[in-house]
């Protein structure tokens, strides 16, 4: 049974510990909170701090309004209802921040926001996507768009199956489309199955049944010439030993009980097995402990022999121990050259090419990130344009990030020139091309995560047209438009001289209400997970749940976040629990100093690694009045022994990640023993995070109820029965 948890806490008094937090000192600090009260813990604990900086502000934002075709039904764990248009009141009601009533309910957030599991195109150019449905207990389903414009989409995955892999725990690359064939990983047993796109869609097993989910597959490609499927396998059959990661070959026809052939092995991790256009070569990415793939990795090429073995192996990038680089995304061009992304030398992930002369060359140096950290298999941030249009010959379409914002561009391989494609999106990844179109996974401040189809040919107005065939939000966003808070990108000074950090600041927004005279809103600061990740600016209704009720919200891209180059990313090496904590505190204090929030009602929350930042902020600083840690770390010394292989050495450089339930129980018992208020809730059937609608709803409502009870100044508009809190509700 897999459990996930959440935790909340209140910090009072002036406790302060050494800033050089270790795993043992962190726990003992929590144990010694004689002047603090941890009031609610659903998995791990949380606490707070004070800095006194004088940061500066720079503001930027992007916005887009997108309406996608399809259903406009609100689904929740307890049933469904039609999404009705919410008309703002004619006269505004004067009420305290935090007490505002909002149509952005917990039911809306939990039951209407679908997860995204990747996309592909069939042989006819029709879009296929994988969506996770909270109203179906988080089940992932492949869906194909209608054959005609505006036609109804159809589910491809039959009942009883869920398209999801847990290789590296985070998965990705769970399915592949080749002509009329689907190959996918089924969540329940983690076996590979093949399925026809049309006709009889009954899934047929391709790999052995080992009786439990100890063998998993991801990131595969079909070798059509030989009837094979080449994929990454994670094998945990040797109990008591670390899982083995390999690239294996699976027969697409034959006996499913046959053991797949091992093609590549010997290193700790593999990704991106990709065949050259003529099928004679294979490329792949590999890395070893203690590195994460964004620290140091290598890309290789080998010949495929007549016996199906890989011979004549050549390291294309990452083989020089004197050069710190993390190459990623190896991809063959139609001409047979290998392209990839690397941050060698400059510290920025840029495009490179390895040609027939076996020389590596930088294509267009730019202070920008052309890929993202490989948390999930299948990152695709550039693609080759395959169009007969003369103006699109020898072009690569790519997305890149600068200062946390995504852009789309076209690179001309022949002339080595680069042109920007103007789109209304702020977050772009997952590129696929079909003729003169590129499909992108994208979002903006007014558009949730969606799949957009962008025309690479400008129209007569010099614009690039686009459509949105899929969106993650199940209802018409226009019904809630006036309740959406549009963020500002805030840059502020950190507590390290000369360094600045960033946050997406969302002001309270609700057309039905106005605040009490002279009142400033409470603030919730979010420390994102990872920590080698980032706070994105895409419309997120779980954030709007707070802002539409009168809260200000700051999503912080603290030192160590991605999207700003290696130097910014590596600020956190050896400093996790220090630099991130300082940045979150600095952000909150900056906003209070500018008069944008109430400095006495500052709160913080975070998930996983962000949960540890929340805990550390409460223990080692005095900025926040309350906090909520969702499945956050508390006992760093034990983390490497309890977590999965992918992150088992991550703690050596930074510390952080998928958190075993025991971490929640440790902090819960320690705080309870001190006689401090605390509660623990564990959600059955969840993994790292919440996929089920009822759990998403419960977490949102209980976190806000907790804050409302403890920081004061308002009462929630909705009636929510609070959980019992040990040492508090006695």
């Amino acid at each position: 049974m897999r459990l996930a948890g959440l935790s909340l806490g209140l910090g009072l008094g002036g406790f302060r510990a050494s800033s050089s937090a270790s795993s043992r000192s962190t726990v003992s600090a929590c144990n010694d909170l004689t002047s603090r009260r941890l009031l609610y813990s659903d998995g791990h604990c949380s606490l707070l701090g004070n800095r006194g900086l004088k940061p500066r502000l720079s503001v930027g934002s992007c916005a887009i309004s997108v309406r996608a075709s399809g259903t406009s039904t609100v689904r929740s764990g307890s049933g469904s209802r039609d999404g009705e248009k919410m008309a703002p009141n004619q006269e505004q009601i004067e009420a305290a921040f935090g007490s505002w009533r909002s149509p952005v309910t917990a039911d809306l957030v939990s039951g209407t926001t679908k997860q995204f599991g990747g996309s592909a195109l069939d042989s006819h150019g029709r879009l296929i996507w994988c969506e996770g449905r909270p109203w179906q207990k988080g089940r992932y389903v492949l869906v194909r768009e209608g054959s005609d414009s505006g036609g109804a989409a159809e589910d491809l995955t039959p009942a009883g199956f869920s398209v999801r892999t847990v290789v590296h725990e985070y998965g990705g690359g769970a399915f592949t489309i080749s002509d009329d064939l689907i190959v996918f990983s089924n969540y329940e047993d983690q076996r590979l199955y093949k399925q026809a796109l049309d006709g009889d869609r009954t899934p047929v097993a391709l790999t052995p049944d080992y009786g439990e989910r100890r063998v998993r597959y991801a990131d595969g490609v079909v070798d059509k010439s030989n009837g094979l499927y080449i994929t990454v396998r994670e094998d945990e059959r040797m109990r008591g030993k670390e899982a083995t990661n390999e690239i294996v070959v699976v027969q697409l026809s034959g006996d499913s009980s046959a053991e797949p052939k091992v093609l590549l092995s010997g290193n700790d991790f593999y990704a991106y097995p990709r065949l050259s256009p003529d099928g004679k070569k294979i490329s792949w990415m590999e890395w070893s402990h203690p590195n994460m793939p964004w620290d140091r990795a290598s890309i290789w090429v080998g010949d495929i022999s007549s016996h199906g073995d890989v011979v004549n192996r050549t390291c294309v990038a990452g083989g020089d121990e004197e050069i710190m680089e993390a190459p990623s995304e190896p991809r063959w061009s139609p001409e047979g050259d290998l392209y990839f992304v690397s941050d060698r030398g400059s510290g920025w992930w840029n495009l490179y090419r390895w040609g027939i002369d076996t020389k590596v060359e930088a294509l267009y140096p730019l202070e920008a990130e052309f890929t993202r950290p490989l948390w999930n298999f299948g990152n695709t941030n550039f693609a080759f344009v395959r169009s007969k249009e003369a103006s699109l010959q020898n072009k690569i379409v790519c997305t890149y990030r600068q200062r946390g914002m995504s852009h789309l561009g076209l690179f001309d391989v022949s002339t080595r020139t680069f042109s920007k494609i103007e789109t209304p999106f702020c977050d772009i990844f997952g590129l696929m091309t079909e003729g003169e179109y590129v499909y992108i996974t994208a979002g903006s401040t007014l558009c949730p995560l969606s799949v957009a189809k962008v025309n690479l040919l400008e129209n007569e107005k010099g614009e690039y047209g686009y459509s949105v065939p899929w969106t993650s939000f199940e209802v018409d966003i226009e019904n809630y438009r006036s309740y959406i808070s549009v963020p500002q990108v805030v840059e502020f000074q950190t507590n390290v001289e000369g360094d600045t950090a960033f946050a997406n600041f969302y002001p309270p927004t609700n057309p039905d209400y106005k605040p009490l005279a002279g009142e400033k809103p409470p603030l919730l600061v979010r420390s994102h997970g990872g920590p080698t990740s980032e706070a994105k600016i895409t419309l997120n209704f779980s954030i709007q749940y707070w802002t539409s009720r009168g809260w200000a919200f700051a999503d912080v891209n603290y030192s160590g976040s991605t999207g700003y180059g290696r130097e910014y990313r590596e600020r956190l090496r050896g400093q996790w629990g220090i630099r991130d904590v300082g940045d979150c505190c600095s952000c909150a204090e900056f906003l209070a100093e500018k008069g944008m929030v109430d400095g006495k009602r500052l709160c913080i929350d975070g998930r996983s690694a962000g949960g540890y930042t929340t805990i550390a902020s409460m223990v080692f600083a005095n900025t926040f009045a309350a906090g909520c840690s969702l499945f956050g770390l508390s006992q760093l010394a034990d983390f490497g022994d309890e977590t999965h292989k992918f992150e088992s050495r991550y703690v050596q450089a930074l510390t952080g990640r998928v958190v075993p339930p025991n971490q929640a129980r440790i902090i819960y018992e320690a705080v309870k023993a001190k006689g401090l208020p605390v509660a623990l809730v564990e959600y059955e059937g969840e993994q790292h995070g919440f996929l089920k609608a009822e759990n998403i709803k419960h977490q949102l409502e209980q976190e806000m109820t907790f804050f409302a009870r403890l920081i004061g100044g308002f009462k929630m508009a909705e009636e929510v029965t609070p959980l019992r809190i040990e040492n508090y509700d006695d």
Side-chain angles (χ1 to χ4, degrees), residues 526-577:
R526 172 147 303 163
S527 53
H528 64 70
T532 312
S533 186
E534 63 184 295
K536 298 178 181 178
I537 208 166
T538 293
L539 176 62
N540 183 339
F541 273 88
S542 67
I543 293 177
Q544 304 300 323
Y545 177 81
W546 294 86
T547 57
S548 63
R549 284 167 172 74
W551 281 75
F553 194 103
D555 211 357
V556 183
N557 273 317
Y558 50 76
S559 296
S561 300
T562 57
Y564 303 87
R566 182 182 277 265
E567 185 278 329
Y568 193 90
R569 194 167 71 241
E570 292 192 339
R571 286 184 186 178
L572 211 57
R573 292 185 68 85
Q575 297 288 305
W576 190 46

Side-chain angles (χ1 to χ4, degrees), residues 458-470:
E458 294 178 289
N459 59 24
E460 61 277 4
K461 297 180 180 179
E463 301 170 338
Y464 296 91
Y466 69 92
S467 60
V468 180
W470 180 85

Side-chain angles (χ1 to χ4, degrees), residues 416-665:
R416 301 295 181 93
T417 56
F418 191 86
S419 58
K420 185 176 178 180
I421 299 174
E422 294 293 343
T423 75
F425 300 103
C426 310
D427 188 25
I428 304 171
F429 58 99
L431 276 60
M432 306 179 295
T433 56
E434 175 69 20
E436 66 268 26
Y437 293 95
V438 59
Y439 288 84
I440 60 176
T441 305
S444 79
T445 58
L446 293 175
C447 173
L449 189 67
S450 304
V451 175
K453 181 180 181 181
V454 180
N455 195 327
L456 295 174
L457 296 174
E458 294 178 289
N459 59 24
E460 61 277 4
K461 297 180 180 179
E463 301 170 338
Y464 296 91
Y466 69 92
S467 60
V468 180
W470 180 85
T471 183
S472 58
F473 199 57
E474 276 282 279
V475 299
D476 190 346
I477 296 173
E478 290 302 319
N479 294 344
Y480 305 91
R481 177 69 59 211
S482 59
Y483 297 88
I484 292 176
S485 176
V486 177
Q488 301 171 329
V489 179
V490 176
E491 183 179 8
F492 56 91
Q493 180 184 321
T494 72
N495 61 343
V496 175
E497 185 176 358
D499 283 352
T500 61
F502 305 86
N504 304 323
F505 175 72
Y506 299 77
T509 302
N510 189 317
D512 301 333
Y513 291 89
K514 60 182 178 181
L516 301 177
E519 186 190 19
K520 291 181 172 57
L523 170 70
L524 178 59
V525 166
R526 172 147 303 163
S527 53
H528 64 70
T532 312
S533 186
E534 63 184 295
K536 298 178 181 178
I537 208 166
T538 293
L539 176 62
N540 183 339
F541 273 88
S542 67
I543 293 177
Q544 304 300 323
Y545 177 81
W546 294 86
T547 57
S548 63
R549 284 167 172 74
W551 281 75
F553 194 103
D555 211 357
V556 183
N557 273 317
Y558 50 76
S559 296
S561 300
T562 57
Y564 303 87
R566 182 182 277 265
E567 185 278 329
Y568 193 90
R569 194 167 71 241
E570 292 192 339
R571 286 184 186 178
L572 211 57
R573 292 185 68 85
Q575 297 288 305
W576 190 46
I578 301 173
R579 292 296 299 268
D580 50 325
V581 169
D583 290 358
C584 287
C585 293
S586 296
C587 177
E589 292 161 2
F590 164 64
L591 295 172
E593 182 180 299
K594 292 295 182 181
M596 302 164 76
V597 300
D598 185 345
K600 296 181 179 179
R601 294 190 291 171
L602 306 177
C603 303
I604 185 171
D605 77 1
R607 299 169 180 245
S608 187
Y612 175 71
T613 301
T614 297
I615 295 170
S617 297
M618 300 277 292
V619 173
F620 301 115
N622 295 307
T623 296
F624 301 101
C628 168
S629 169
L630 296 91
F631 39 93
L633 281 159
S634 62
Q635 192 82 309
L636 302 188
D638 298 336
F639 178 74
D641 297 329
E642 294 182 344
T643 195
H644 56 95
K645 178 184 177 182
F646 179 60
E647 296 175 308
S648 61
R649 309 296 195 279
Y650 192 32
V651 69
Q652 296 179 14
L654 299 173
T655 60
R657 309 250 77 62
V658 168
V659 181
N662 190 48
Q663 295 277 310
R665 299 173 189 133

Side-chain angles (χ1 to χ4, degrees), residues 364 366 370 398 400 408-412 416-420:
Y364 194 83
L366 188 67
F370 283 77
C398 51
Y400 58 98
L408 193 66
L410 268 178
F411 175 72
D412 190 314
R416 301 295 181 93
T417 56
F418 191 86
S419 58
K420 185 176 178 180

Side-chain angles (χ1 to χ4, degrees), residues 285 287 291-297 326-328 349 373-375 646:
M285 173 184 172
W287 67 99
N291 297 303
M292 299 300 284
W294 48 84
D295 294 326
R296 184 189 289 272
S328 186
W349 272 317
L374 191 63
W375 283 110
F646 179 60

